Amino acid sequence: MTGRKTADRNQENFKRLALILTGLGLLALGAVALIFLLNPGEEAPVAEKNWNSVVPQQVNFPAPELNLMDLNGNPVSLSALTGQVVLLNNWAFWCPPCRDELPELQAYYDQRRQQGFTIIGVEAGDEKKDVLYHVNLFKLSYPIWLDPDKATVIAFRNNTLPNSYVIDRTGQVRLAWSGAVDRAMLEKYVTPLLEE
């Protein structure tokens, strides 16, 4: 019986230790996040890219009608962009894969915007001041739309972040990504649509 009590006590001690270590890990993670969010003078983090872009799914359906607001409070709509190739990117500043892909998206936008291409970054429901902070931090120059009601996530029926959709010049959604996108994938899959 003594051996059984010792085993039970050891198991209880192990559970307590696991809970304590988990709690300490969460506290450390929270502290790092808090330091990052409260330091407005920082530069955008530049980390080595250690992720692989997902391959897009080829799709073919009409783009949903979206009516949102831009960062200046102006009404904007997806249908007003007919005639351009549009990459609609659903993201949030608190999402690490979303943050990882922002420099990739910005670089591709800089290179291709003269070809009738735009990126619309739809920020999924956060406060405008926080969104503006991160737009400035990452030096994003493509249009950012605010989506406080998550209408875009609902319209595309995809609540994973990030997710991206490429809409051709006629308003048809042709490519869908769930996950971070890199420049090589953009070149491979989006550039041919610019040449159609």
Side-chain angles (χ1 to χ4, degrees):
M1 221 37 180
T2 309
R4 174 80 176 172
K5 286 182 181 179
T6 303
D8 288 345
R9 198 171 316 125
N10 287 342
Q11 188 174 11
E12 284 297 317
N13 288 339
F14 179 76
K15 286 180 184 178
R16 282 190 201 117
L17 180 61
L19 282 172
I20 290 169
L21 291 175
T22 301
L24 289 173
L26 290 172
L27 282 173
L29 183 62
V32 169
L34 188 60
I35 290 168
F36 178 75
L37 289 173
L38 294 177
N39 187 0
E42 70 185 300
E43 289 293 315
V46 179
E48 269 187 50
K49 184 179 164 208
N50 59 0
W51 51 273
N52 292 318
S53 175
V54 293
V55 175
Q57 178 181 1
Q58 294 192 357
V59 296
N60 191 4
F61 60 89
E65 183 53 45
L66 291 174
N67 296 293
L68 301 172
M69 297 289 225
D70 67 15
L71 288 172
N72 297 316
N74 299 314
V76 288
S77 73
L78 200 51
S79 61
L81 300 171
T82 301
Q84 296 185 59
V85 173
V86 177
L87 187 148
L88 187 138
N89 174 250
N90 288 302
W91 69 288
F93 67 81
W94 46 262
C95 158
C98 299
R99 294 166 64 94
D100 287 344
E101 74 178 351
L102 292 176
E104 307 276 323
L105 293 171
Q106 182 64 52
Y108 188 78
Y109 173 75
D110 289 341
Q111 181 184 5
R112 299 293 182 176
R113 67 182 172 189
Q114 299 302 320
Q115 294 177 265
F117 171 75
T118 193
I119 294 176
I120 302 298
V122 180
E123 211 289 336
D126 294 299
E127 289 189 35
K128 180 179 173 180
K129 65 179 178 57
D130 295 325
V131 176
L132 279 169
Y133 171 78
H134 287 86
V135 165
N136 292 329
L137 179 67
F138 285 94
K139 298 176 176 64
L140 302 179
S141 63
Y142 54 83
I144 302 295
W145 296 358
L146 301 173
D147 191 359
D149 300 321
K150 298 180 178 60
T152 308
V153 169
I154 293 166
F156 282 98
R157 297 179 183 160
N158 186 350
N159 62 1
T160 62
L161 293 177
N163 64 65
S164 298
Y165 297 88
V166 178
I167 304 161
D168 71 14
R169 297 181 198 281
T170 68
Q172 287 291 112
V173 180
R174 303 273 298 275
L175 299 170
W177 272 279
S178 283
V181 179
D182 71 12
R183 184 101 177 257
M185 286 293 170
L186 293 170
E187 290 292 351
K188 182 174 181 178
Y189 291 98
V190 179
T191 301
L193 293 177
L194 295 174
E195 296 163 358
E196 287 183 356

